[in-house]
Amino acid sequence: MIELQQVTKSYRRRGTGRRGGEVHALRGIDLTIRDEEMFGIVGESGSGKSSLLRLINHLEAPTSGRVLVDGVDLAQLSPRARRAQRRRIGMVFQQFNLLANKTAFDNVALPLRLQRRRERERVMQMLDFVNMADRAHQHPSLLSGGEKQRVAIARALVTDPGILLCDEPTSALDDHHTEEVMDILGQVRRELRTTIVLVSHELDVVKASCDRAAVLERGRLTAVTDVVAPPPRQAFSSYAERAQRYLA
Amino acid sequence: MSGQEAAGQGVLGRLDELGASLSAYRGEMLQSIAETGVMLGNSLLAAVLLGLPMGTWMYLSRKNGPQPRTGVYALLNGYVNVVRSVPFLLFVVALIPFTRWMLGTSFGTTAASVPLAFVAVALYARWVEQTLLDVPRQTVELADSLGASTLQLVTRFLYPEARSGLVLSLTTVTISMVSYSTIMGVVGGGGVGDFAIRYGYQTYEYEVMYATILIMIVVVMAIQGLGTWTSRRIDRRLR
């Protein structure tokens, strides 16, 4: 369970006059995300949704208030213990953040290597899970955006974290690859029972996948709602097929 | 005989002359190349063993870096700036007492490596810092999100992603050191530059001097070629 209690985040911006002073990214956020749910955070850019996500694994520290993950406040831990705790929370980024000089396999193996673990089968199992086993030894520059994001998901899940944080995971992708990635996330949820927190500005993506969603506006939580799933969409095998059906 | 042929013979004649004067000094020439090799080897070893960690530390400790430490950064940055700003000839002379204290002598090829090493460390440290700054910030964020320690950030994220830049900058430092090493004759360091001055310039055998310069151009081109080739081979980023 993830709990945010009266969380505030502000930055001090340098400069004078209107440009300087405090910027309030988040104000007075109270939020609980339950185990095994898929939770969406929506809002326009600059609403603070990425900051909110980064508070959960403490990539950003709250200015005030508390963030508890399974009852543990990461702010209270020593740097070492915090690092250990972070390994139990996977993260997926908008720009994938794959290491360009490492193969898909080595990218997925990276979190294990940080723990001095060398488990080839586990890495292949995860690549297989995201349907990328046949591309294991290719470098990211040869992969499409959707394929890169699938490798990134495999990397985030290879250490079997209980929570997966997704920061605009489909915003750099076209519709076809977006569906591919969202299908994988749905599969993660069903088969691995991972709690997923999904930040996106794309309402369709959140509506199609999440159980509940929070709406952020200028740093404030304006609503937390149950998501009503849309009617099941048609499956298309390729972008071309989708484009043709959609346009015709 | 046409004018063209005459000109051709003229060039060939010059080359013959060059070859003759070089073969007369072959022993000294080879000796001096070996001395340059020793000076380059020592200073580059220092660059990698000290300059690489130093530049990495500068990258980490700078303002807005992963581990900001203003004091550390000011100290390292100061070293780099001071060493790079003192005219090299003066630096060599000024360092004589230190070299003598360290090695017991301030004369000879090994002693000449000391000031070269100081410069190589400073140059490479700055290059490393700048090369690491080109690694995307997201890579650092990724390392953080995976719970990497600072050492792991460096060895598993920064170096693998920056490796081709690190090789290219070491290449640049190597070539600078070739140039710096040519004046080490002033402290008895010998080397190719010293050879060209003593046997070429000072004995009025300019062919020897120009031949030496030619050899150095070839050597520098070879070093650059090797560096570029290596860095391309290990670069898997989008080209």
Side-chain angles (χ1 to χ4, degrees):
Chain A
M1 196 161 68
I2 303 164
E3 295 161 277
L4 283 79
Q5 300 169 349
Q6 277 302 305
V7 170
T8 305
K9 175 74 189 174
S10 50
Y11 303 91
R12 186 164 284 288
R13 194 157 58 178
R14 286 165 67 94
T16 51
R18 267 181 48 192
R19 295 187 50 218
E22 295 273 290
V23 179
H24 298 281
L26 293 170
R27 322 176 195 221
I29 305 279
D30 277 302
L31 182 64
T32 302
I33 298 170
R34 296 190 280 261
D35 282 344
E36 297 187 21
E37 91 175 314
M38 188 143 174
F39 191 91
I41 300 174
V42 299
E44 44 188 358
S45 53
S47 59
K49 54 192 192 301
S50 278
S51 285
L52 182 55
L53 192 73
R54 280 164 172 68
L55 288 169
I56 296 173
N57 62 353
H58 212 270
L59 282 185
E60 290 185 26
T63 308
S64 67
R66 298 208 304 164
V67 180
L68 303 177
V69 177
D70 295 332
V72 179
D73 184 351
L74 265 69
Q76 303 291 321
L77 299 176
S78 69
R80 196 188 184 83
R82 191 182 304 143
R83 287 202 299 272
Q85 200 68 23
R86 265 191 196 144
R87 295 192 193 122
R88 301 172 50 190
I89 305 175
M91 193 163 185
V92 173
F93 306 84
Q94 179 172 4
Q95 294 302 331
F96 328 123
N97 297 8
L98 296 180
L99 296 194
N101 279 332
K102 289 187 187 292
T103 60
F105 182 94
D106 288 334
N107 267 287
V108 175
L110 191 59
L112 297 172
R113 296 297 298 137
L114 295 180
Q115 300 172 33
R116 298 178 198 292
R117 288 160 63 187
R118 198 187 281 277
E119 296 160 27
R120 302 188 59 86
E121 304 77 41
R122 174 70 187 155
V123 175
M124 282 316 291
Q125 188 191 337
M126 285 319 299
L127 280 166
D128 199 36
F129 184 82
V130 298
N131 294 323
M132 288 294 291
D134 53 332
R135 315 292 297 273
H137 297 291
Q138 285 184 349
H139 286 84
S141 60
L142 292 173
L143 303 178
S144 73
E147 290 170 333
K148 286 183 202 172
Q149 195 60 294
R150 275 146 61 190
V151 172
I153 291 171
R155 176 181 64 193
L157 294 173
V158 74
T159 52
D160 199 16
I163 297 170
L164 180 64
L165 306 179
C166 305
D167 186 16
E168 300 272 8
T170 59
S171 301
L173 304 177
D174 63 37
D175 290 349
H176 184 65
H177 286 143
T178 294
E179 272 179 21
E180 228 174 60
V181 164
M182 292 316 296
D183 284 346
I184 298 270
L185 287 180
Q187 193 186 333
V188 168
R189 187 181 169 216
R190 283 192 309 275
E191 294 176 24
L192 308 177
R193 306 203 162 277
T194 311
T195 307
I196 299 178
V197 186
L198 172 74
V199 161
S200 184
H201 69 273
E202 295 167 304
L203 294 178
D204 291 346
V205 164
V206 172
K207 187 164 176 69
S209 61
C210 293
D211 306 308
R212 293 194 304 150
V215 184
L216 275 181
E217 191 178 44
R218 272 175 281 141
R220 288 187 197 281
L221 200 58
T222 55
V224 177
T225 62
D226 289 325
V227 174
V228 179
R233 60 182 154 75
Q234 256 181 299
F236 298 110
S237 62
S238 71
Y239 179 84
E241 188 192 343
R242 157 203 284 283
Q244 209 177 339
R245 292 270 196 89
Y246 185 76
L247 296 172
Chain B
M1 191 188 284
S2 77
Q4 220 174 1
E5 278 171 27
Q9 274 202 344
V11 170
L12 280 180
R14 283 285 172 76
L15 281 179
D16 269 356
E17 244 177 84
L18 263 180
S21 45
L22 275 184
S23 60
Y25 292 116
R26 211 171 69 190
E28 288 86 346
M29 182 84 202
L30 290 177
Q31 164 83 17
S32 72
I33 288 176
E35 286 162 353
T36 297
V38 169
M39 290 190 284
L40 282 187
N42 285 336
S43 54
L44 291 177
L45 194 67
V48 172
L49 293 183
L50 301 172
L52 181 62
M54 198 167 150
T56 308
W57 209 9
M58 285 166 75
Y59 166 84
L60 293 171
S61 64
R62 61 184 284 133
K63 206 175 98 186
N64 302 326
Q67 303 256 303
R69 286 206 183 97
T70 330
V72 171
Y73 185 76
L75 202 75
L76 299 175
N77 191 44
Y79 168 83
V80 170
N81 283 343
V82 167
V83 170
R84 293 208 308 167
S85 57
V86 178
F88 187 58
L89 191 54
L90 290 177
F91 185 71
V92 171
V93 176
L95 221 57
I96 285 176
F98 174 83
T99 309
R100 189 174 293 140
W101 168 80
M102 203 177 116
L103 297 175
T105 174
S106 60
F107 200 80
T109 308
T110 311
S113 303
V114 174
L116 283 174
F118 272 89
V119 173
V121 168
L123 286 180
Y124 196 45
R126 182 63 86 205
W127 274 109
V128 167
E129 180 198 18
Q130 286 170 3
T131 304
L132 294 181
L133 282 172
D134 282 339
V135 175
R137 272 212 80 77
Q138 289 98 314
T139 302
V140 180
E141 191 182 38
L142 169 70
D144 267 344
S145 79
L146 292 176
S149 65
T150 305
L151 185 66
Q152 287 175 329
L153 165 69
V154 171
T155 58
R156 299 218 171 260
F157 296 82
L158 296 177
Y159 286 173
E161 287 299 272
R163 62 190 186 189
S164 54
L166 293 174
V167 167
L168 276 184
S169 39
L170 188 66
T171 309
T172 303
V173 172
T174 308
I175 289 168
S176 297
M177 294 333 286
V178 171
S179 174
Y180 279 117
S181 73
T182 54
I183 69 147
M184 295 320 293
V186 292
V187 288
V192 180
D194 188 41
F195 170 84
I197 294 279
R198 282 198 292 152
Y199 293 92
Y201 180 64
Q202 286 168 355
T203 59
Y204 302 106
E205 292 190 64
Y206 290 121
E207 308 84 47
V208 173
M209 191 176 79
Y210 287 120
T212 313
I213 291 174
L214 224 70
I215 289 175
M216 292 189 69
I217 291 174
V218 171
V219 167
V220 165
M221 280 169 63
I223 293 172
Q224 186 62 57
L226 182 70
T228 310
W229 180 79
T230 311
S231 83
R232 279 229 192 97
R233 263 189 72 99
I234 60 179
D235 190 1
R236 297 312 196 106
R237 295 170 300 181
L238 270 181
R239 271 170 246 158

